Amino acid sequence: MGARFISGAGPLASLRAAFAPRRWVFWVMLLVLLAQVALPIAILLFTSFKDARPTDSDFFALDFTLENFSRAYDSGRLLEVTWTTVQFAGGSMLVSLVLGTFLAWVTARTNAPFRGLIGLLTIVQMAVPGILIPVAWTFLAGPEIGVVNEAWRWLTSSEGVLFDIYSMKGLILVNGLTMMPMVYLFTVTVFSSMNSSLEEAAEVSGGSKWQALRHISLPLAAPGIAAVAIMSLMRAWEAFEVPWILGLRSKIFTYASEIYLKTSTPPSDVGLISTYAVFMLVGAVLLIWWYDRFNQRGERYAVISGKNYSANRLDLGRWRRPVAAVSFGVLSVAIIVPMLMLVWMSLNTYYRAPSWDALKDVGLGAYSLALQSPNVVQGFVNSLVIGLATSVAVLVLSTFSAWYSARRIPGGRLLYLLTSVPMAIPNVIVGVSFLWIFLIVPLPIYATHWALVIAYVTVIIAVVARLVSARMLQISAELEEAAQVSGASFLRAMWSIVVPLLMPALFAGALMTMVMSFRELQTTLYLAGPNTRTAAVVMFDMAGDGQFSTVAAFGIVTFVLLFAGVYGYQRLNARMGLDGGGL
Amino acid sequence: MKPRRLSTVLIGVAVSALVLAGCGGGESESESSALSEDLAVASTTDMTDDEYATYMTDLEAASKKEGGTLSYYFSAPATSAQPLFDELAKKYPWIKIEYVSGGTLELIERVTTESASGRDSADLIQGGPLEDRTLCNDQELCMEYNPRGEKDLPEDRAYADCLCTVADFFTFHILYNTDKLSEAEAPKTFEELTEPKWKGKFGINIDQLDWFAGVLAEMGDKEGTKMMEALAANDPIIYSGSEGLEKLAAGEFQVALPQTATRQVSDMVDGGAPIGVVTTPTVIAQPDMYFALADAPHPATARLYLEFLMSSEWQAQLGEVVKKVPISPEAPVPAVAQGILKNTLFFETTENFGDYDDRVAQHQSIFITG
């Protein structure tokens, strides 16, 4: 596209075209992504066919074997675990998609009251350390001691159980609720850029508000919704904390918990881990191919164009308060009640069922212990620095790869694929791969912040790139074309036109990157040094040593800090005039 | 503030973070030095008092020259080892601990890979028979060093064949909820829990592979496996990690096993948790092993640390400070593990553990995968 604006003919023009910014930016992106993504995948694929570890002298010998695949299959559990994971991942995806999309629609497209608070509460759930939500649900809905079931027995004078959190339904519910913020962030940026004139046109033609929603809004949001459905399916597939903490008792094993069981003998059985990951990779590639079909007709979904557009909210009329009530009902189950349980846990030295007697013994000792824990400040600062640095890298890579892909530039689909497939790589493979790479490469990267930034980019980019990509599809190419026709360079057009229009997705992506950087543990345990311990490692120490009250206190503090951060961001959003709904 | 200016400011902050990231962390820079021949000894147990005094003076000087850094890898939480580090700092104030946390899997992976790439970072790793097998026996990465404090240990506590220092050990117990069971009602042996009255009422901690291997070594493979299968058939609630203690205190199950009697249990009991401790007639003990690495970047400091661990002054306070059982039989035992004094101790070791992969498979097939 840029080549049309380079005048002249002959070798000089060709040379200028070859070094046009659009070209060298592409090559830089490609090289970086190949190093970030292709290298761990190459190690994964190679290792799955080897009976040796990368540090063995015969690792690079060309003697391949199918023994790892045979072991995975012969255990007799592969099919069972796969089917269990399909149910778990599919169910979680549906729960998160329905609830997250609903809340995004409420905050971004309607005039429901308290929508700012609704959005805030949806997002801040991400701040709660991953281990805490399933633990909170243990004490909320465990069959013997869960508050919900105890209340049910008291109300009905029976010995029954209303809801068993250790069942497949329980796992699906909890995992779906933990993924809801991610779905929300995806879909709210899509909904917030909807051109309401399209819906108004439907109403003028005689359609009802609900018909406009069904036939206009939802189809236009389809690429974004499809993207987040794929993302949440893959994330549910490799989810570990919920299946391990809640599934163990009923012996419900998914891919992630099965990998953990099968590879508990060190050194890591990377051959077997890689084999399981190959299956995940195949699934991810299929899903990406299916999603790519939306990309091919991306211009159909462009709602942000050179024409004036408005994003008026749907007037719910008498349904305003009921919709808000339903939203808060969802949030009560998803975040409010579990947070109250965590607060209760943090105020007691050990878990006790809520009662007036127990209330007399509450105290803030756990907060004191949590905050005085060794290296808490170091952990927070490291996570902040690494999170910020990772955000820059991820957003730059995501923006350019989304642009090249959406504009169908040759090579753009390769960039798109490279930013998508990391979703299939287990974090333990990322950790082990980069551990080997950093120790073999003669550069002083190992155990530095850079090591974690590089690894985190691989871990996080798939999620953020999808978020940015979904938004990019909504931006018509004519806007930056107009800039370039007026003489702006490629980079200038990107900076002045595309980036501002992407801003809601970029901020959401930055937020997601920061939160994931704070929570990421598996990769970190392989790469963090004594001076680069992150908040997740500090919390891992706390969880392994002390009572859960200390971990709960730490989680509450993190939650409050992010609550304040996101509230500040919302205020900023409003002042900037980017009323992206609840984000 | 205009959106573009704000974006510029925010990007500036983030780029600064990138720069900071490049400046931070990294392997510690201290002056490591190869030890002189008279310090690079394999043992101080045969030294006379005068020789030992001279050796320790020279070792301290060498440690200071190294920078006093000790790169410490351990799978236990940092908080559990902090009281030990505080006592160490009182005696050797120049020693600075740089600890690397992680699970056993991650730490062994790191040490193995660092060694294979020639970039050894770890001086010392704390662990158990798994580390012994993998790092010492399979990979031959461990330093041979016997500190003086091992000199007078009885044979059953000496660990002569291990390239490790065992300064303390854990014991495995049965814990029960004192609100639900009286002391008389609580089970006294693991076998009791195979009876029908305990069906579905007890929890089993599946993290404690060492206990499983220890029981099989003590009872014999056949009898031990039979008992484990009977336990598994009695519908236990399986759990992992320290959440089991919370669930026991909350009453999700009446009994939990196996649990080590450590500071975590005693802190919960001190905090009012309704937890009682049963010591079985034969107590399975897991040694707490400290491995100095052969290519440690700070070999003098690593040796000094091992000498400290086995010193009589640390052994005397170890039970109270970190609530573990000192390896020295004369040293006081913490209150929570007092029961072991009247009972028989059986130490699980690398030798009696059995083949590790087989034990893992066996343990999982009995309790987890069925």
Side-chain angles (χ1 to χ4, degrees):
Chain A
M1 185 176 66
R4 281 189 284 158
F5 305 105
I6 298 173
S7 60
L12 189 61
S14 301
L15 196 65
R16 284 174 69 191
F19 285 93
R22 204 184 75 181
R23 289 273 168 86
W24 63 256
V25 166
F26 170 80
W27 284 109
V28 167
M29 292 295 118
L30 184 63
L31 286 171
V32 169
L33 285 171
L34 281 173
Q36 288 285 160
V37 174
L39 214 44
I41 289 182
I43 291 175
L44 185 159
L45 289 171
F46 192 79
T47 311
S48 67
F49 292 100
K50 293 289 297 181
D51 185 23
R53 293 164 51 76
T55 47
D56 293 343
S57 54
D58 60 343
F59 181 70
F60 290 106
L62 297 179
D63 53 344
F64 300 107
T65 174
L66 290 175
E67 193 193 324
N68 294 317
F69 291 88
S70 173
R71 272 196 297 146
Y73 186 73
D74 285 349
S75 69
R77 291 174 52 78
L78 183 62
L79 289 176
E80 181 194 335
V81 166
T82 303
W83 175 233
T84 303
T85 313
V86 165
Q87 294 172 74
F88 171 74
S92 305
M93 183 267 287
L94 280 173
V95 167
S96 62
L97 197 64
V98 167
L99 297 180
T101 306
F102 168 71
L103 291 173
W105 175 73
V106 168
T107 57
R109 299 297 299 150
T110 75
N111 63 347
F114 305 111
R115 52 184 184 275
L117 182 59
I118 291 170
L120 186 62
L121 286 172
T122 308
I123 297 168
V124 293
Q125 196 218 97
M126 290 196 298
V128 183
I131 193 177
L132 284 177
I133 295 289
V135 168
W137 276 101
T138 296
F139 296 118
L140 279 170
E144 292 89 6
I145 57 171
V147 168
V148 165
N149 290 312
E150 294 269 74
W152 176 254
R153 284 189 279 271
W154 178 74
L155 275 169
T156 59
S157 304
S158 70
E159 296 292 316
V161 170
L162 177 63
F163 189 78
D164 182 1
I165 202 65
Y166 299 121
S167 62
M168 176 59 87
K169 289 198 199 78
L171 266 65
I172 286 173
L173 175 68
V174 174
N175 202 58
L177 292 175
T178 59
M179 295 198 307
M180 195 178 72
M182 182 188 73
V183 172
Y184 173 85
L185 277 177
F186 264 77
T187 47
V188 83
T189 56
V190 168
F191 280 134
S192 65
S193 53
M194 291 288 213
N195 192 345
S196 59
S197 61
L198 300 171
E199 292 154 337
E200 285 159 8
E203 286 179 54
V204 161
S205 304
S208 67
K209 289 188 183 31
W210 306 110
Q211 283 176 317
L213 171 69
R214 257 183 65 200
H215 296 293
I216 307 290
S217 311
L218 285 179
L220 279 175
I225 294 175
V228 75
I230 292 170
M231 282 306 312
S232 55
L233 192 65
M234 291 310 301
R235 289 194 65 80
W237 193 273
E238 57 169 23
F240 174 72
E241 280 129 348
V242 169
W244 185 251
I245 293 172
L246 298 180
L248 184 62
R249 176 172 155 158
S250 305
K251 299 183 186 174
I252 299 173
F253 292 100
T254 62
Y255 244 58
S257 46
E258 183 73 8
I259 288 177
Y260 182 77
L261 274 184
K262 284 277 167 285
T263 55
S264 55
T265 310
S268 308
D269 191 343
V270 285
L272 192 59
I273 300 174
S274 299
T275 303
Y276 276 99
V278 165
F279 292 114
M280 288 168 67
L281 197 61
V282 168
V285 169
L286 285 172
L287 286 170
I288 292 161
W289 168 81
W290 174 71
Y291 174 68
D292 191 44
R293 298 177 67 190
F294 282 89
N295 261 6
Q296 288 180 26
R297 290 178 291 175
E299 63 275 10
R300 291 176 63 196
Y301 302 97
V303 290
I304 303 172
S305 66
K307 302 188 196 73
N308 227 359
Y309 85 105
S310 60
N312 292 332
R313 292 178 177 277
L314 183 68
D315 181 4
L316 293 172
R318 61 191 171 96
W319 289 99
R320 287 183 73 226
R321 291 182 197 281
V323 165
V326 169
S327 303
F328 279 107
V330 169
L331 288 169
S332 294
V333 176
I335 185 64
I336 297 171
V337 168
M339 286 308 297
L340 287 173
M341 174 53 72
L342 289 176
V343 169
W344 176 252
M345 285 169 64
S346 70
L347 297 174
N348 288 271
T349 50
Y350 62 94
Y351 179 76
R352 303 164 74 178
S355 65
W356 291 116
D357 275 340
L359 204 56
K360 292 179 208 155
D361 295 329
V362 300
L364 296 174
Y367 287 89
S368 176
L369 272 175
L371 293 172
Q372 286 171 25
S373 203
N375 299 316
V376 161
V377 173
Q378 182 201 47
F380 262 110
V381 170
N382 281 334
S383 287
L384 196 63
V385 167
I386 291 164
L388 283 172
T390 308
S391 297
V392 169
V394 164
L395 291 179
V396 168
L397 289 169
S398 299
T399 300
F400 281 109
S401 64
W403 186 85
Y404 282 104
S405 169
R407 300 295 177 253
R408 318 277 297 282
I409 307 293
R413 288 174 78 174
L414 174 60
L415 293 185
Y416 175 82
L417 187 68
L418 287 172
T419 57
S420 302
V421 290
M423 69 173 94
I425 310 176
N427 287 9
V428 67
I429 291 286
V430 175
V432 171
S433 301
F434 279 114
L435 175 70
W436 296 328
I437 291 165
F438 294 147
L439 284 171
I440 291 165
V441 166
L443 288 174
I445 297 178
Y446 180 56
T448 65
H449 292 92
W450 276 116
L452 291 169
V453 170
I454 290 169
Y456 281 15
V457 168
T458 302
V459 168
I460 294 169
I461 192 164
V463 175
V464 176
R466 302 288 66 69
L467 185 74
V468 174
S469 176
R471 175 78 174 186
M472 186 72 78
L473 278 179
Q474 296 183 306
I475 301 171
S476 174
E478 65 194 36
L479 295 170
E480 72 249 24
E481 284 171 1
Q484 291 188 52
V485 162
S486 307
S489 66
F490 164 65
L491 290 174
R492 181 63 195 241
M494 286 294 287
W495 178 248
S496 303
I497 307 293
V498 177
V499 166
L501 290 171
L502 276 181
M503 207 53 85
L506 295 178
F507 270 115
L511 184 68
M512 201 171 274
T513 306
M514 289 299 298
V515 169
M516 289 174 77
S517 300
F518 266 79
R519 291 173 62 159
E520 191 348 86
L521 178 66
Q522 253 184 325
T523 307
T524 313
L525 287 176
Y526 285 104
L527 299 173
N531 298 321
T532 56
R533 292 158 61 83
T534 62
V537 173
V538 171
M539 215 202 54
F540 171 76
D541 272 357
M542 274 187 211
D545 177 47
Q547 294 94 336
F548 268 86
S549 56
T550 315
V551 185
F554 189 85
I556 300 290
V557 169
T558 316
F559 176 85
V560 167
L561 286 174
L562 187 68
F563 191 95
V566 175
Y567 178 69
Y569 166 74
Q570 274 193 330
R571 301 281 301 179
L572 202 64
N573 226 11
R575 287 180 68 185
M576 283 166 62
L578 286 174
D579 186 14
L583 177 57
Chain B
M1 191 185 284
K2 289 183 178 173
R4 189 179 304 167
R5 190 176 297 170
L6 175 65
S7 307
T8 310
V9 167
L10 289 174
I11 287 169
V13 167
V15 169
S16 305
L18 264 171
V19 172
L20 271 174
C23 299
E27 293 152 53
S28 61
E29 292 174 18
S30 53
E31 194 186 328
S32 65
S33 51
L35 283 186
S36 60
E37 207 177 296
D38 54 341
L39 288 180
V41 298
S43 173
T44 55
T45 55
D46 294 330
M47 288 183 179
T48 64
D49 290 348
D50 287 341
E51 284 170 344
Y52 183 68
T54 306
Y55 173 80
M56 286 299 286
T57 305
D58 293 342
L59 195 66
E60 288 172 21
S63 169
K64 285 177 188 168
K65 197 174 165 203
E66 281 175 354
T69 301
L70 186 71
S71 179
Y72 195 99
Y73 285 29
F74 64 104
S75 54
T79 44
S80 70
Q82 195 58 46
L84 161 60
F85 299 151
D86 292 342
E87 291 303 313
L88 180 77
K90 286 179 193 168
K91 189 171 169 75
Y92 303 117
W94 66 87
I95 292 184
K96 184 173 151 267
I97 306 282
E98 288 185 348
Y99 49 83
V100 176
S101 300
T104 301
L105 201 77
E106 291 87 4
L107 293 177
I108 291 180
E109 183 74 48
R110 287 181 76 153
V111 170
T112 309
T113 310
E114 285 166 6
S115 174
S117 63
R119 292 167 70 168
D120 303 84
S121 295
D123 292 312
L124 204 130
I125 182 166
Q126 180 181 344
L130 178 56
E131 284 83 351
D132 189 21
R133 183 203 80 155
T134 316
L135 297 177
C136 300
N137 296 348
D138 293 349
Q139 308 277 336
E140 296 179 351
L141 297 177
C142 301
M143 179 196 293
E144 186 183 354
Y145 186 75
N146 300 109
R148 188 177 174 86
E150 289 181 359
K151 182 179 164 188
D152 297 318
L153 286 177
E155 201 180 311
D156 64 334
R157 298 194 180 195
Y159 285 87
D161 295 331
C162 172
L163 291 179
C164 66
T165 297
V166 176
D168 49 79
F169 58 93
F170 303 96
T171 47
F172 292 102
H173 300 258
I174 297 172
L175 270 54
Y176 64 97
N177 183 306
T178 54
D179 285 345
K180 305 238 179 234
L181 296 171
S182 66
E183 194 178 340
E185 289 167 330
K188 305 297 181 290
T189 63
F190 299 123
E191 288 87 344
E192 249 185 80
L193 289 163
T194 63
E195 292 167 14
K197 70 174 184 180
W198 293 108
K199 191 174 179 70
K201 292 184 182 159
F202 64 102
I204 283 206
N205 184 351
I206 58 153
D207 288 342
Q208 298 296 1
L209 183 63
D210 291 284
W211 167 80
F212 178 83
V215 167
L216 262 59
E218 192 268 323
M219 292 179 72
D221 236 65
K222 198 170 163 194
E223 286 301 312
T225 303
K226 201 169 144 191
M227 189 198 75
M228 292 295 181
E229 285 170 349
L231 278 176
N234 216 17
D235 216 12
I237 296 166
I238 56 174
Y239 66 89
S240 169
S242 55
E243 61 158 17
L245 288 177
E246 294 280 344
K247 290 181 176 180
L248 175 72
E252 182 165 318
F253 32 83
Q254 297 175 7
V255 172
L257 73 142
Q259 287 290 154
T260 53
T262 56
R263 189 175 57 83
Q264 188 181 0
V265 173
S266 97
D267 283 351
M268 282 186 81
V269 171
D270 291 344
I275 293 177
V277 180
V278 170
T279 303
T280 50
T282 302
V283 182
I284 306 297
Q286 178 190 343
D288 207 3
M289 296 174 166
Y290 299 81
F291 305 89
L293 295 167
D295 291 326
H298 311 98
T301 311
R303 284 173 164 80
L304 201 58
Y305 183 77
L306 295 179
E307 292 290 342
F308 172 78
L309 285 178
M310 294 306 296
S311 64
S312 53
E313 65 187 292
W314 172 244
Q315 288 285 310
Q317 52 181 326
L318 189 166
E320 186 51 39
V321 173
V322 293
K323 303 285 193 287
K324 293 185 197 173
V325 185
I327 197 70
S328 170
E330 287 84 37
V333 170
V336 74
Q338 283 285 316
I340 68 169
L341 293 174
K342 297 185 222 115
N343 297 22
T344 308
L345 274 179
F346 180 87
F347 281 92
E348 165 240 343
T349 65
T350 312
E351 287 73 37
N352 67 26
F353 195 100
D355 181 84
Y356 208 93
D357 294 317
D358 287 349
R359 284 287 181 249
V360 168
Q362 204 177 2
H363 181 250
Q364 288 186 2
S365 77
I366 291 174
F367 288 112
I368 304 171
T369 57

